[in-house]
Each structure stands twice: as structure tokens, then as C-alpha cells.
Amino acid sequence: MSDSKAAIDSYLERLAEQLEALGPAESADVVAEVREHMDEALTDEGGSEGRVVERFGPAEALAARILEERGISPTGSGVLPAPWVLRAGALVADIAIWLAVLVVPATPVAVLLFFMPFSGARDVPMVALESIALLAAVVGVVWWRIASWRRPSHATLGMSLAGLRRIRIGASTRVVRGRDIPGTPSPRRLWPAIVLGAALITHAAVIFSVSQTFGADIQGRAQSAVHDASVGVSIVNDLYRAVLAGEDPVGSLGQSGSPAADAAIAALATRHASGALDSYLISSTELGDWKSRLSSWFSPPNDIVVYVTIDELDDTPGTTPVLCRWKVACHTEPQGAGAYGGEWVIDSAEIVPQ
Amino acid sequence: MRCVVENEGVRVDVTDQWLVQLRKGVVELLILRLLVLRDELHGYAIVKELESRGRFVAGESTVYPVLKRLEADGLLTTRWVESSAGPPRKYYRVSGTGAAFLAEAGDEWDALVAAMSALKGAEDDE
């Protein structure tokens, strides 16, 4: 193809783009007629193709005149924009499809990120790299879809479903109903409908999966809380029984957690020996601060802390119970296969002022 | 000689502007009259015929938009004819509606020319 012939083809291509508002049939008719005119001018008059093209003036100006003669101004008056309800519906459908496209490849990475801290195989550089890759994929897909949405002569899947298309009018574009542009073939809706259906099923599956995961997580947390509280109560209960029975309290525990714990246990034994402790009641149990799973992704495993408050009773009439608050802790470490564990110890105790 | 005026610092060719407006209304009459005369012509021939009829030139960029409107308005009928020399040609012919419009527009044109001639004659007499 010579450069001049390419110039004619380029001219006619630009002319066709600018005449979208006339519909494909009439636009093709005009382009065919102009091509025929140019061919005949070349045959009849000779000369260069470039000169023949010049006689028509710029393609954009010729198209603007043709549209103006047909009642369509360069600003688009004369062309009905698609109703906003249809445009909004098309956009929602497209967003649903975009998100589904993103969710499918993102799921394995998300699962990996979710379970990594609990498997003990956490690797911060890998997490960072995968996060960057996921972010890049999200940005890339979103950018590509937005660029497609803005491109004239292009109908996204959502637009096809709603019977819309974007056409060029002068220097701008406008989304119109296909049926408002004469000669526009009916959009194919079957494949877009199938894709949208698959996207909705994907979203339903993700929502169901996430709700199940969170439900299981909440249930697991509740079970852990009950377990931790019972362990804390059991340790303190064993300590008081040993003291009241005159046994070695440290021996009943196996080990104490710190010098502070040793001092607290010794003080307890002293209170019993002095007659200030004849019996006891477990007054209350509370869990200490346990970091959420989200924050645990980027921080070391946590201590589980349980506070057990004991009413120390003196059988002597007229005396008031002493409230002693015991801190029982377990420093957890990953033990493989997503399990965590550690040894429970008494950490410290304090007399609660009344 | 062109009449050029300066409006808010912008030079405007008043003659050129007037010619553009005049052509917009007159070219369609010229096309219809030409097609009545020749019975049937294709776009290239219409442009060449108009160009050959004096300095009131209506080039491709003017003729085709008007042809499209006349066709859309039903004043012209068209048909594609296969050509042995090249691609198919689109031929234009004045429709019945077009002929009726041309008759009415012709009367208006004649009245306009008569009025203009009368004024010109009176001006010359004075």
C-alpha cells in the first residue's frame, strides 16, 4: 500500500469514526460514496491522492458538516443520551464483573496471607512482594476497564446488556441507546449475561465463604476464651487448695512465672498461716488484652492473660474478705500446622483495695 | 475586493461569512435544479458540474453534507449502480417531494431576485 493510499484509508477511517451518530449503515454509505468520489477523481483528473483528500477538507470538519445538516451539533445536541438508570445499571454490572475478575486470581494470595501467620512460616518480604503484585494486578485491571469504558465505538459487557454503546460526537463521546442510532444491530446479550451470572455466582460464593470463615473465627475465639478462662481458674484454684491443705503451693503449680509470682504466693501462705485466710471464693474471671488476628499478621505471637479475682474469707466474725487479683499468663509460640501453644504460669498478684 | 472589519481585535472577512451563509441556502437549490436538468447524477459529477458553472463554487466539503440532508429529507432518491470502471456509484435523482419543493423554492427565489433587481434599478436611477 502506498503512502497516498494509506492517506485515503486513514481519512476514511477517521470520517467513519466521526459519523457514528448516523448509525453504521448510513456511515458506511457516506464512506463508500466518498471513496468512490476519490477513486473517480484520481482516474478522471490524475494528480496525487493527497490533493484529492485535501479537497474534502479535514475529515472531522466534513463529518461535522454532515452531522450538522442532519441536526446533530458538534456538542451532541440532537442525540439523545441514554437514560441514567440504564447507564447506572451498566456500570454496576461492569463493576460486578471487574470485581469477579479480580477476586478469582486474588483468592489464592488472600488465603496465603490469611494463614501465613498461623503456620509459623511467615516471611515478611514474601508477604510484601505478594501484596505489591496483588495491588499492581488490581490497579492494572481497573485502569484497563476504565480505559475500555471511555473508548468510543466500544460497548462493555454491562453496556451490551443494557443495550448501550458509546459513540463519538465531535471531540467528545456520549453513551446512547443502540436503538436510538438507526441501523445499529441489536447487541448480543447472551454472553454478557452468562459472564455477569458467573460473576454474581463468584461474589455469592466469596460472601458465603467469608461469612463462614468469620463465623468459624468468632466461634473459635469464644471457645479459646472459655478454655483460657477455665485454665486460669483451675491454676489459681489449685494454688488456693494447696495452701489451705498445707501443701507446697509452688509444687502444685510446677513452676511460677516470676519473682513477683513467688512473692505473691509466699504472701498468700503467710495470710493463711496468720489466720486471715480460712476459705475462698472465685469472685470473677476476665481475659486480658489479646491482639486480633489482623494485627497478629505483622507482630509476634502474644501472651494470653487471664485475671482471676479471689475473695479470701476469714471465718472470724466481723472481718471483711480480702480481694486478691491473680494474673495468669501463657506465652504462646507457633507449634506448626497452624497450632499455637505454651506453658501457663502465675505471673503476679495484687490485693485489690476496697 | 473583500470587506474586512475588525471586531474586538479580531479581523473578520464579512464577505466570506456572508458567502458561507448564502451558499448554505443556495447550494441545495443548485443541486436540485441541476438534477432536474440532468435527471440523474452521482456525487462526483454533481461537484464537477457545479464547479463548471462559474465562481459560485460548491466543493466536495459543501456538496456532500447537503446531499446527505436532501436524501434524509426525502427530496432526493438514490441508487447504487455497479460500474465496470471502478467501485459502485451512488446516483441521485429528485423525488416527487423534491420537485414540489423546488417549484416553491424557485418561486421564492424569483421573487427575491426580482426584489433585489428592483432595488438595484431604483438605486441606479437615483
Side-chain angles (χ1 to χ4, degrees):
Chain A
M1 183 186 290
S2 69
D3 289 346
S4 301
K5 194 68 176 172
I8 289 178
D9 287 340
S10 169
Y11 183 91
L12 295 176
E13 195 175 315
R14 281 185 289 133
L15 183 63
E17 283 177 0
Q18 296 288 328
L19 291 176
E20 280 187 306
L22 290 181
E26 190 169 353
S27 169
D29 187 84
V30 172
V31 169
E33 191 175 6
V34 172
R35 182 184 288 281
E36 182 262 320
H37 181 111
M38 289 178 170
D39 284 348
E40 186 157 358
L42 285 172
T43 307
D44 193 36
E45 304 165 25
S48 71
E49 288 87 344
R51 190 169 177 282
V52 171
V53 168
E54 276 178 19
R55 284 169 49 176
F56 277 86
E60 292 75 15
L62 177 62
R65 280 197 203 101
I66 291 173
L67 291 176
E68 198 171 359
E69 290 286 352
R70 299 296 310 282
I72 300 170
S73 75
T75 57
S77 62
V79 177
L80 277 177
W84 72 268
V85 175
L86 286 179
R87 280 182 287 153
L91 186 61
V92 168
D94 277 330
I95 289 173
I97 293 169
W98 300 350
L99 288 177
V101 168
L102 288 174
V103 161
V104 172
T107 301
V109 179
V111 168
L112 197 64
L113 287 172
F114 190 80
F115 286 108
M116 213 179 272
F118 302 96
S119 66
R122 190 180 43 169
D123 184 337
V124 172
M126 276 302 294
V127 172
L129 279 176
E130 283 162 351
S131 302
I132 290 169
L134 182 61
L135 185 65
V138 169
V139 170
V141 170
V142 169
W143 176 83
W144 178 68
R145 296 308 304 176
I146 290 174
S148 298
W149 178 267
R150 300 298 308 173
R151 201 165 61 228
S153 310
H154 177 81
T156 62
L157 291 173
M159 289 165 75
S160 295
L161 275 170
L164 307 178
R165 60 191 304 245
R166 178 178 291 278
I167 63 169
R168 189 193 307 271
I169 301 174
S172 62
T173 64
R174 178 169 291 186
V175 176
V176 298
R177 275 194 299 200
R179 71 182 192 194
D180 289 340
I181 303 298
T184 302
S186 298
R188 293 177 181 173
R189 289 193 168 97
L190 179 61
W191 277 110
I194 290 172
V195 172
L196 180 62
L200 293 178
I201 290 170
T202 302
H203 290 310
V206 168
I207 291 169
F208 178 74
S209 172
V210 168
S211 65
Q212 289 289 94
T213 303
F214 275 99
D217 190 45
I218 290 169
Q219 193 176 6
R221 283 165 184 270
Q223 287 174 346
S224 295
V226 171
H227 172 265
D228 296 342
S230 65
V231 169
V233 167
S234 174
I235 288 173
V236 174
N237 192 39
D238 286 349
L239 172 67
Y240 274 81
R241 278 200 307 193
V243 169
L244 289 180
E247 299 169 1
D248 175 18
V250 177
S252 74
L253 295 172
Q255 80 174 82
S256 66
S258 64
D262 291 337
I265 293 169
L268 173 66
T270 303
R271 288 199 294 278
H272 173 60
S274 65
L277 170 61
D278 294 321
S279 59
Y280 67 96
L281 289 172
I282 297 171
S283 175
S284 68
T285 307
E286 57 185 296
L287 291 174
D289 179 33
W290 192 21
K291 287 182 182 173
S292 68
R293 174 173 283 185
L294 186 66
S295 63
S296 70
W297 287 0
F298 303 103
S299 60
N302 307 288
D303 286 339
I304 301 170
V305 175
V306 178
Y307 294 98
V308 180
T309 304
I310 300 291
D311 280 356
E312 296 179 358
L313 306 174
D314 183 350
D315 291 342
T316 309
T319 57
T320 53
V322 173
L323 284 182
C324 188
R325 190 167 186 254
W326 293 84
K327 180 182 178 184
V328 186
C330 177
H331 181 69
T332 57
E333 293 286 356
Q335 295 182 331
Y340 271 66
E343 191 165 5
W344 287 88
V345 293
I346 289 181
D347 184 85
S348 59
E350 61 178 353
I351 302 297
V352 180
Q354 298 184 69
Chain B
M1 178 156 174
R2 296 280 180 168
C3 174
V4 178
V5 297
E6 194 162 318
N7 188 3
E8 295 180 356
V10 179
R11 290 170 62 81
V12 178
D13 187 333
V14 179
T15 308
D16 189 54
Q17 278 195 341
W18 176 76
L19 277 172
V20 168
Q21 294 302 318
L22 181 65
R23 279 177 185 146
K24 281 179 85 170
V26 173
V27 166
E28 60 190 270
L29 287 184
L30 285 171
I31 291 172
L32 289 168
R33 185 72 72 191
L34 178 65
L35 285 172
V36 166
L37 187 69
R38 297 284 187 230
D39 185 43
E40 190 177 59
L41 287 173
H42 59 282
Y44 178 75
I46 292 171
V47 172
K48 300 309 287 182
E49 283 264 10
L50 290 178
E51 281 181 346
S52 70
R53 287 174 187 274
R55 67 177 199 168
F56 197 86
V57 177
E60 286 87 341
S61 60
T62 305
V63 170
Y64 277 101
V66 173
L67 282 174
K68 295 299 114 189
R69 179 164 56 77
L70 293 176
E71 181 187 358
D73 289 347
L75 302 185
L76 296 179
T77 59
T78 62
R79 66 185 181 113
W80 284 92
V81 177
E82 289 295 329
S83 166
S84 58
R89 286 174 174 168
K90 187 176 184 179
Y91 280 85
Y92 292 89
R93 180 194 291 265
V94 176
S95 68
T97 311
F101 168 76
L102 185 59
E104 287 179 14
D107 289 344
E108 294 296 327
W109 178 259
D110 290 343
L112 183 67
V113 171
M116 182 60 79
S117 297
L119 284 171
K120 186 88 169 44
E123 193 180 303
D124 290 342
D125 290 342
E126 287 178 10

